[in-house]
């Protein structure tokens, strides 16, 4: 479990225990329904202080491979949906918290460089076996890398 890649469910776990938590797992139900369609690109924009970070934490906790989130969601609306098991903790998730990044870097212009360096390093650690296969020529010819290894 990393800072950016498959970071787990800790932030959503603490939010779910809050007295003011409102179940917004209906967003997961919608996302599951469009995940393999042209509508799969979703922008969750909201005004300041309206739960964008909590929503991102919920998405990362539900989809991310970095943890088992079944108990977090079993009492929420998404658990009633037929797609609940199909997508739970099945994907690699990259979660970028811009507020965290700005505290780490302090210079907004250097944020992109920091993201590139940090996320790529975590991906290298998470996929060391895949990268070894690339160097041995074990990947299919259709595999294309967007960043150098």
């Amino acid at each position: 479990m990393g800072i950016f890649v498959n970071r787990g469910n800790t932030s959503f776990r603490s939010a779910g225990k809050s007295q003011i938590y409102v179940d917004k797992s209906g967003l997961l139900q919608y996302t599951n329904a469009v995940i393999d369609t042209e509508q799969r690109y979703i922008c969750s924009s909201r005004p300041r202080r309206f739960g964008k970070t909590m929503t991102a934490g919920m998405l990362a906790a539900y989809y991310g491979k970095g943890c088992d989130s079944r108990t977090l969601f079993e009492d929420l609306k998404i658990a009633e949906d037929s797609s609940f098991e199909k997508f739970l903790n099945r994907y690699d998730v990259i979660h970028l918290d811009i507020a965290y990044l700005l505290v780490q870097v302090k210079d907004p212009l250097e944020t992109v460089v920091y993201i590139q360096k940090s996320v790529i390093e975590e991906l290298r650690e998470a996929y060391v076996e895949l990268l070894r296969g690339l160097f041995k020529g074990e990947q299919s010819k259709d595999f294309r890398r967007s960043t150098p290894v």
Side-chain angles (χ1 to χ4, degrees), residues 107-127:
D107 179 2
L109 299 176
E110 293 296 318
T111 302
V112 173
V113 173
Y114 181 79
I115 290 171
Q116 289 174 327
K117 180 181 172 190
S118 302
V119 172
I120 289 172
E121 184 58 36
E122 280 193 33
L123 288 170
R124 282 186 178 141
E125 291 172 15
Y127 294 101

Side-chain angles (χ1 to χ4, degrees), residues 74-140:
E74 65 188 3
D75 293 329
L76 301 181
K77 182 175 179 167
I78 185 62
E80 299 168 7
D81 191 73
S82 62
S83 67
F84 175 64
E85 295 285 334
K86 181 178 180 182
F87 298 103
L88 181 66
N89 301 130
R90 300 272 194 246
Y91 297 94
D92 291 304
V93 173
I94 298 174
H95 182 183
L96 300 176
D97 182 341
I98 302 304
Y100 168 83
L101 293 169
L102 291 173
V103 168
Q104 299 303 309
V105 179
K106 307 231 184 327
D107 179 2
L109 299 176
E110 293 296 318
T111 302
V112 173
V113 173
Y114 181 79
I115 290 171
Q116 289 174 327
K117 180 181 172 190
S118 302
V119 172
I120 289 172
E121 184 58 36
E122 280 193 33
L123 288 170
R124 282 186 178 141
E125 291 172 15
Y127 294 101
V128 69
E129 294 302 319
L130 175 65
L131 293 172
R132 284 187 188 134
L134 284 172
F135 290 120
K136 292 179 182 176
E138 295 173 5
Q139 285 296 314
S140 74

Side-chain angles (χ1 to χ4, degrees), residues 14-27:
S14 63
K17 292 179 181 178
S18 171
Q19 291 181 346
I20 61 169
Y21 176 74
V22 175
D23 182 1
K24 295 183 181 179
S25 65
L27 175 63

Side-chain angles (χ1 to χ4, degrees), residues 1 6 8-9 19 36 42 66 83 85 116 119 147 149:
M1 181 166 55
N6 293 327
N9 60 23
Q19 291 181 346
D36 289 323
I42 299 168
S83 67
E85 295 285 334
Q116 289 174 327
V119 172
T147 56
V149 178

